[in-house]
Amino acid sequence: MQTVYADLDEIVFEGREKDYGAYEIRKKYNRFLIRAVLISFLVFILATFGTKTLDWLIEPEEELIETVTATPVQLSDLPPPPSLDEEQAPPPPPKVNIPPPVRAKIEFKVPKPAPDETVDDEETIKEMEEIEDSKADIGLEDVEGETDIGYDFGEIDGTGNVEVEVVEEAPAPEIGPNDFVLLEKEPAPVNMDDLRRMIGYPAMAKEAEIEGKVILRVQVDKNGRYVKHIVIKDPHPILTKAVTDKIRNLSFTPGIQAGKPIKVWVTIPFDFKLLK
């Protein structure tokens, strides 16, 4: 009688396909498992005992020990500490070698005698008597003159009246309503509330429920008085006429430029709105 040994893998894959890899993996599973356990064990051994093995194989270097000599010192040998009450003088500044100042020197040269052939006989030194005699000629003597005569200016013609031509400055160009002017202080209305009461709300515009904002450009003179105006915005003729008829009664503070009042244009709005 022949003995047949049954394998578990053979029993599982009996009658099944064995060429797709599952059969081969099951057959080699035990070998792979044993190999993985051995590799893990070796890695553990190396990680645990590897450093100690290296310390045994490599001799440690001799440590360098620095010797320090200690000198015993007693407190009685130390100088007394500086007082905290006394202010310590600052250390002296470092010495700086400053060169001495350079002094002006005058060189005295001894004149050298000239030969007799080069000397002019006429150039001789004058005696003191000759110098005393020539004082009057060179103006060395004090001479008193006549003070009552004065200076003669000659004959003077003319009456003393001199005509001076006065040149009038050209008037400054007039500023237009759309020109930009830089002012220190712009004109401001003085009696705006009184003017609004004078204008009121036109009856025809109120009955017709007409609303809008009238904007005027008003020219103000140096004294803050009205000069003329132009209409910038005209929402309706009734509202505009009510404003232009009374705008002459509006007074202003003058515009100031460079500390002086000037004639300038200013924008004044009038808003007509019905209360509902």
Side-chain angles (χ1 to χ4, degrees), residues 206-271:
K206 192 173 184 179
E207 293 176 0
E209 297 184 353
I210 299 173
E211 297 180 345
K213 179 181 289 187
V214 180
I215 301 177
L216 301 183
R217 191 82 169 149
V218 181
Q219 189 180 35
V220 183
D221 63 4
K222 296 180 180 180
N223 299 320
R225 293 175 296 188
Y226 166 89
V227 179
K228 56 184 177 180
H229 72 272
I230 58 174
V231 179
I232 302 297
K233 185 176 181 181
D234 180 13
H236 195 276
I238 297 176
L239 301 178
T240 304
K241 187 176 186 303
V243 174
T244 54
D245 289 346
K246 304 294 183 180
I247 192 64
R248 298 176 181 273
N249 299 316
L250 187 59
S251 300
F252 299 84
T253 59
I256 305 299
Q257 184 184 60
K260 297 180 180 180
I262 63 169
K263 183 188 293 185
V264 69
W265 290 82
V266 64
T267 303
I268 304 296
F270 294 89
D271 193 4

Side-chain angles (χ1 to χ4, degrees), residues 45-100:
I45 294 298
L46 290 175
T48 305
F49 301 101
T51 55
K52 293 183 178 182
T53 305
L54 291 176
D55 293 339
W56 293 340
L57 296 177
I58 301 174
E59 295 180 358
E61 297 181 357
E62 297 182 358
E63 296 181 357
L64 298 178
I65 300 175
E66 184 179 358
T67 58
V68 179
T69 304
T71 304
V73 178
Q74 296 182 358
L75 295 177
S76 60
D77 299 337
L78 297 176
S83 177
L84 298 177
D85 299 334
E86 298 179 358
E87 295 182 357
Q88 297 181 0
K95 295 183 179 180
V96 180
N97 295 328
I98 301 175

Side-chain angles (χ1 to χ4, degrees), residues 165-237:
E165 183 179 359
V166 179
V167 179
E168 296 181 356
E169 295 182 359
E174 186 174 354
I175 300 173
N178 297 323
D179 295 341
F180 174 76
V181 181
L182 183 61
L183 298 175
E184 298 176 7
K185 184 178 179 181
E186 295 186 357
V190 177
N191 57 339
M192 177 60 77
D193 295 337
D194 297 338
L195 181 66
R196 292 184 187 278
R197 284 193 292 269
M198 292 173 61
I199 296 173
Y201 206 109
M204 295 180 62
K206 192 173 184 179
E207 293 176 0
E209 297 184 353
I210 299 173
E211 297 180 345
K213 179 181 289 187
V214 180
I215 301 177
L216 301 183
R217 191 82 169 149
V218 181
Q219 189 180 35
V220 183
D221 63 4
K222 296 180 180 180
N223 299 320
R225 293 175 296 188
Y226 166 89
V227 179
K228 56 184 177 180
H229 72 272
I230 58 174
V231 179
I232 302 297
K233 185 176 181 181
D234 180 13
H236 195 276

